[in-house]
């Protein structure tokens, strides 16, 4: 019989990745909770197995073995206090930077604290026994599989990082008695590359550089990225917070967010990932991703990460840029721009909304000014349109909350009092953070645009999960306002509340409820002249029109395939009605 390995998916993944990361020495201690792992390891000739009854001695054996061989050494023990006996040896490994992998097996962590035998809490290991500690639960779906793969790669990479050290994996078992798996699964392996490590060759195919939220760029880094794109026929995929000002930049939010059209450009063979969190929610589909960041952390945004380059971005691009003359190749850039031009030409007259306001305003922002966008509706709305690359843009995408958008704007304006700062926020974000406007340091270089629709309009958009998957009956949509969209707070679009507050604090106040009124205010709001005091422009919009504008922007192009699917869905809905459609959905997706 050829069967050798456990059927437990998480254990199989650990074993496969141990082999991929070249961990073959294993010191096993007896027990039941780790049977799935040990019984599988001992049948695989790749691994060098050693037995030790005393876990304290086992950990020290691993220290000696790692120090002598220069290789990582794995430990495995059962649950209960067995793992506690690893502490002295792992402390030794921590301070000597010895690569010791301790795998402690555990029952389902929900059993912790329930007076069940042989179950103890390992969720908070001591600070100096592991450089990294991860929980690897049982795998039930694709999301579990991805998360476990990322966690295990991250942990195993840490064994050798920055001189090395011990790592802890808490492995959940279901006590599956079957060992029917004949071969290990092929698992995605993530590698970390440092400045002194050998560099892999660039993958072939359509190439792009993705830039999330990014600090202002140096001229040298901008030049290197632009030259890389010209030499490798690549593009730089940006949102407004990317702050990239070089060549081959594309701003594809409009293209990547179409409901009924899939541009083939979204299929990218090789993507280089720079920067931090992007709030653009771009639907791009890379086959392989390299992450470049000085922090060297595993950030698997696109779920296709294979390499992490722990180095400065400029150092990375110097590895792949030739300073000798090469003919520029920008065919891919031209293809992106052509599709974006075609989409923009199809934009009809939009209703009065944040998107319409962005369309009228963004290209008129004064040169050298700064733009701060609130999450989520404002950032998305303004990302549909291009701006002057010289206008740096920021958004609180790190924590992604509404609680400090205006304060961040104020702080930036205080740091550069000679520059104009424009902010765009919704009403909930504004009233959440309105105290900052009373700060005595606020200067005249702030221009704040308040989009007041009387609620969190994000939750009333046609595309929001509550609308798409919930009942679409009128009473349900109205009920959204009460507690989900938080409507009717802060004066329910009062024409006086923000006005009096701003004026009493010394702001110049402007307001608009129509397109013509907004156009009348815009010149004063944008003009660099006469900036003797800060300005608040309050635009009163309607959440239904906000949703309509978003739907228009996301349905500029329709492919035949997606149009057919949508037609079929509409036909089913017309026949079965809302209740019947909801019942059918439950049958298909119980």
């Amino acid at each position: 019989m050829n069967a050798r390995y456990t059927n437990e998916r998480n254990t199989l993944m650990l074993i496969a990745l141990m082999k991929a990361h070249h961990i073959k020495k294993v010191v096993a201690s007896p027990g039941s909770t780790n049977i799935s792992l040990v019984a599988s390891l001992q049948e695989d000739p790749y691994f060098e197995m050693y037995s030790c009854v005393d876990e304290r001695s086992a950990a020290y054996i691993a220290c000696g073995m790692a120090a002598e061989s220069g290789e990582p050494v794995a430990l495995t023990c059962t649950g209960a206090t067995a793992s506690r006996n690893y502490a002295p040896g792992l402390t030794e490994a921590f301070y000597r930077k010895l690569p010791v992998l301790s795998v402690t097996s555990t029952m389902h962590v929900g059993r912790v604290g329930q007076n069940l035998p042989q179950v103890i809490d390992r969720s908070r290991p001591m600070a100096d026994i592991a450089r990294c500690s991860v929980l690897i639960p049982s795998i039930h779906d694709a999301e579990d599989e991805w998360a476990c793969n990322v966690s295990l790669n991250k942990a195993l990479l840490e064994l050798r990082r920055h001189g090395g050290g011990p790592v802890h994996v808490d492995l959940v078992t279901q006590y599956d008695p079957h060992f029917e798996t004949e071969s290990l699964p092929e698992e995605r392996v993530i590698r970390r590359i440092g400045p002194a490590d050998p560099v892999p060759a660039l993958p072939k195919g359509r190439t792009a550089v993705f830039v999330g939220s990014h600090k202002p760029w140096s001229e040298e880094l901008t030049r290197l990225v632009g030259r890389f794109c010209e030499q490798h026929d690549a593009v730089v995929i940006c949102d407004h917070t990317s702050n990239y000002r070089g060549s081959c930049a594309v701003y594809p939010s409009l293209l990547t967010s179409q409901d009924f059209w899939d541009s083939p450009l979204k299929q990218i063979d090789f993507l280089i990932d720079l920067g931090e969190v992007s709030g653009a929610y771009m639907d791009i589909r890379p086959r392989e991703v390299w992450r470049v960041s000085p922090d060297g952390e595993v950030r698997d945004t696109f779920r296709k990460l294979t390499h992490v380059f722990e180095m400065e971005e400029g150092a990375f691009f110097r590895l792949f840029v030739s300073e000798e003359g090469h003919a520029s190749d920008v065919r891919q850039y031209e293809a992106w721009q052509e599709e974006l031009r075609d989409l923009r030409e199809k934009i009809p007259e939009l209703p009065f909304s944040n998107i319409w306001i962005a369309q009228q305003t963004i290209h008129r922002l004064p040169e050298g000014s700064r733009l701060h966008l609130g999450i989520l509706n404002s950032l998305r709305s303004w990302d549909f349109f291009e701006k002057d690359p010289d206008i740096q843009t920021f958004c609180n995408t790190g924590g992604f909350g509404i609680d400090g958008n205006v304060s961040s704007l104020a702080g930036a304006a205080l740091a550069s009092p000679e520059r104009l700062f424009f902010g765009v926020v919704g009403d909930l974000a504004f009233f959440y953070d309105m105290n900052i406007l009373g700060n005595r340091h606020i200067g005249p270089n702030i221009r704040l645009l308040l989009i007041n629709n009387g609620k969190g309009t994000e939750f009333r958009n046609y595309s929001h999960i509550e609308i798409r998957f919930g009942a679409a009956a009128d009473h349900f949509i109205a009920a959204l306002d009460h507690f989900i969209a938080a409507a009717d707070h802060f004066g329910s679009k009062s024409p006086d509340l923000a006005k009096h507050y701003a004026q009493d604090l010394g702001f110049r106040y402007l307001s608009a409820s129509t397109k013509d009124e907004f156009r009348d205010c815009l010149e004063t709001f944008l003009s660099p002249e006469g900036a003797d005091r800060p300005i608040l422009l309050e635009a009163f919009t309607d959440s239904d029109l906000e949703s309509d504008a978003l739907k228009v922007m996301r349905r500029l192009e329709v492919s035949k395939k997606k149009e057919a699917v949508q037609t079929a869905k509409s036909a089913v809905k017309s026949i079965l009605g809302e209740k019947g459609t909801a019942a059918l959905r439950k049958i298909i997706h119980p």
Side-chain angles (χ1 to χ4, degrees):
M1 185 175 180
N2 294 324
R4 296 185 300 179
Y5 300 105
T6 178
N7 288 356
E8 293 192 357
R9 183 71 182 85
N10 58 343
T11 303
L12 291 171
M13 182 181 289
L14 171 61
I15 297 171
L17 288 174
M18 285 174 65
K19 295 179 78 169
H21 286 273
H22 309 296
I23 303 167
K24 61 182 179 180
K25 291 179 168 59
V26 181
V27 183
S29 296
S32 297
T33 318
N34 59 336
I35 282 180
S36 294
L37 176 62
V38 174
S40 298
L41 291 172
Q42 70 183 24
E43 291 298 315
D44 190 323
Y46 174 83
F47 294 100
E48 298 176 13
M49 300 292 294
Y50 303 87
S51 177
C52 184
V53 175
D54 185 328
E55 287 83 11
R56 182 181 59 171
S57 294
Y60 279 112
I61 288 174
C63 288
M65 196 177 289
E68 178 64 24
S69 67
E71 300 176 20
V73 179
L75 296 167
T76 170
C77 71
T78 188
T81 57
S83 61
R84 298 292 195 249
N85 295 317
Y86 281 160
L90 292 180
T91 303
E92 179 73 14
F94 184 90
Y95 288 106
R96 289 176 60 192
K97 295 186 176 179
L98 299 173
V100 176
L101 171 65
S102 62
V103 182
T104 59
S105 295
T106 182
M107 302 180 206
H108 191 290
V109 293
R111 300 186 182 188
V112 172
Q114 304 308 313
N115 287 348
L116 295 170
Q118 301 189 55
V119 179
I120 64 173
D121 188 351
R122 282 188 288 269
S123 62
R124 290 175 288 182
M126 289 179 282
D128 58 356
I129 66 169
R131 293 166 51 88
C132 173
S133 178
V134 297
L135 172 68
I136 304 301
S138 299
I139 294 175
H140 301 287
D141 55 29
E143 189 85 359
D144 291 341
E145 188 168 5
W146 165 74
C148 287
N149 178 275
V150 173
S151 293
L152 284 172
N153 271 291
K154 176 182 177 181
L156 300 183
L157 284 170
E158 201 68 22
L159 286 165
R160 296 177 174 90
R161 188 183 185 195
H162 296 165
V167 166
H168 172 230
V169 171
D170 207 17
L171 183 68
V172 174
T173 183
Q174 295 178 312
Y175 292 101
D176 190 327
H178 301 103
F179 289 78
E180 302 167 335
T181 304
E182 296 187 7
S183 61
L184 293 173
E186 290 189 12
E187 298 293 343
R188 183 205 23 183
V189 181
I190 300 174
R191 306 290 186 191
R192 181 179 281 111
I193 308 295
D197 294 328
V199 179
L202 287 177
K204 303 295 184 181
R206 181 182 289 148
T207 300
V209 179
F210 177 85
V211 186
S213 175
H214 200 285
K215 297 176 182 177
W217 294 59
S218 68
E219 291 185 7
E220 173 65 4
L221 179 58
T222 302
R223 183 189 71 82
L224 285 169
V225 172
R227 193 159 181 80
F228 174 88
C229 290
E230 292 174 356
Q231 292 178 3
H232 299 280
D233 189 21
V235 295
V236 184
I237 297 176
C238 304
D239 65 30
H240 287 324
T241 66
S242 303
N243 287 317
Y244 175 72
R245 297 185 290 173
S247 61
C248 298
V250 294
Y251 294 82
S253 287
L254 187 62
L255 184 153
T256 62
S257 62
Q258 293 300 304
D259 287 342
F260 301 140
W261 177 59
D262 267 336
S263 168
L265 293 175
K266 296 194 299 184
Q267 305 291 340
I268 298 168
D269 296 305
F270 170 49
L271 185 72
I272 299 170
D273 178 25
L274 307 181
E276 309 309 328
V277 180
S278 169
Y281 291 94
M282 291 187 197
D283 179 21
I284 56 176
R285 302 161 194 169
R287 294 180 180 176
E288 181 175 355
V289 176
W290 289 5
R291 167 75 178 165
V292 181
S293 175
D295 67 19
E297 296 294 336
V298 174
R299 316 280 189 199
D300 193 22
T301 306
F302 301 95
R303 305 193 176 192
K304 297 294 182 180
L305 185 66
T306 62
H307 291 78
V308 178
F309 287 78
E310 186 170 349
M311 59 183 67
E312 296 292 336
E313 295 164 343
F316 170 84
F317 284 101
R318 287 188 193 95
L319 296 172
F320 300 102
V321 167
S322 171
E323 294 297 348
E324 299 177 1
H326 284 314
S328 297
D329 191 350
V330 292
R331 289 172 296 173
Q332 189 185 175
Y333 172 76
E334 291 170 351
W336 280 90
Q337 294 292 30
E338 182 180 356
E339 288 199 5
L340 284 166
R341 280 194 299 269
D342 289 345
L343 282 176
R344 293 186 185 111
E345 289 174 358
K346 295 177 180 179
I347 299 176
E349 180 67 22
L350 297 167
F352 186 56
S353 59
N354 202 342
I355 295 177
W356 181 88
I357 289 170
Q359 181 189 41
Q360 305 302 310
T361 308
I362 195 166
H363 63 283
R364 295 182 58 182
L365 293 173
E367 182 179 354
S369 60
R370 298 286 189 263
L371 177 63
H372 282 244
L373 297 171
I375 61 98
L376 174 62
N377 191 48
S378 294
L379 178 60
R380 177 182 53 229
S381 297
W382 289 64
D383 253 337
F384 283 135
F385 309 98
E386 291 196 31
K387 62 174 177 58
D388 184 334
D390 187 53
I391 298 172
Q392 293 180 7
T393 305
F394 303 90
C395 178
N396 286 359
T397 58
F400 226 85
I402 68 171
D403 42 345
N405 292 224
V406 183
S407 292
S408 292
L409 165 71
L414 289 173
S416 296
E418 76 289 349
R419 192 185 303 274
L420 278 180
F421 284 79
F422 292 86
V424 184
V425 297
D427 51 286
L428 295 190
F430 173 83
F431 288 109
Y432 202 124
D433 199 19
M434 65 189 297
N435 285 346
I436 189 59
L437 300 185
N439 187 286
R440 62 186 173 88
H441 296 292
I442 293 293
N445 60 331
I446 287 180
R447 310 290 174 88
L448 182 58
L449 174 55
L450 164 58
I451 309 295
N452 191 344
N453 43 63
K455 64 191 69 173
T457 199
E458 179 66 26
F459 306 103
R460 288 292 306 274
N461 283 334
Y462 82 98
S463 56
H464 194 268
I465 187 170
E466 294 290 350
I467 300 294
R468 288 187 290 132
F469 298 117
D474 290 341
H475 72 275
F476 175 81
I477 295 177
L480 286 175
D481 280 352
H482 298 322
F483 297 105
I484 297 174
D488 302 323
H489 292 296
F490 312 115
S492 299
K493 295 172 66 172
S494 164
D496 300 317
L497 181 59
K499 173 182 178 180
H500 290 311
Y501 183 74
Q503 289 178 335
D504 288 349
L505 292 174
F507 280 66
R508 181 171 185 176
Y509 177 82
L510 306 170
S511 70
S513 298
T514 66
K515 293 181 178 180
D516 288 339
E517 290 177 356
F518 185 82
R519 292 189 186 100
D520 291 341
C521 295
L522 196 53
E523 184 174 352
T524 300
F525 183 70
L526 296 176
S527 175
E529 306 299 327
D532 59 332
R533 52 183 170 157
I535 298 176
L536 174 66
L537 169 54
E538 187 172 17
F540 294 95
T541 68
D542 179 82
S543 63
D544 290 336
L545 296 182
E546 293 277 5
S547 178
D548 291 345
L550 180 61
K551 183 184 293 186
V552 168
M553 296 297 285
R554 285 182 162 176
R555 297 182 177 182
L556 297 173
E557 185 68 77
V558 178
S559 67
K560 292 182 179 180
K561 181 178 179 181
K562 286 200 170 185
E563 186 177 30
V565 171
Q566 183 63 20
T567 300
K569 288 182 177 179
S570 299
V572 170
K573 192 172 182 179
S574 65
I575 296 171
L576 300 180
E578 294 295 345
K579 292 184 178 179
T581 304
L584 180 61
R585 187 183 297 117
K586 290 181 179 179
I587 295 172
I588 298 174
H589 302 290

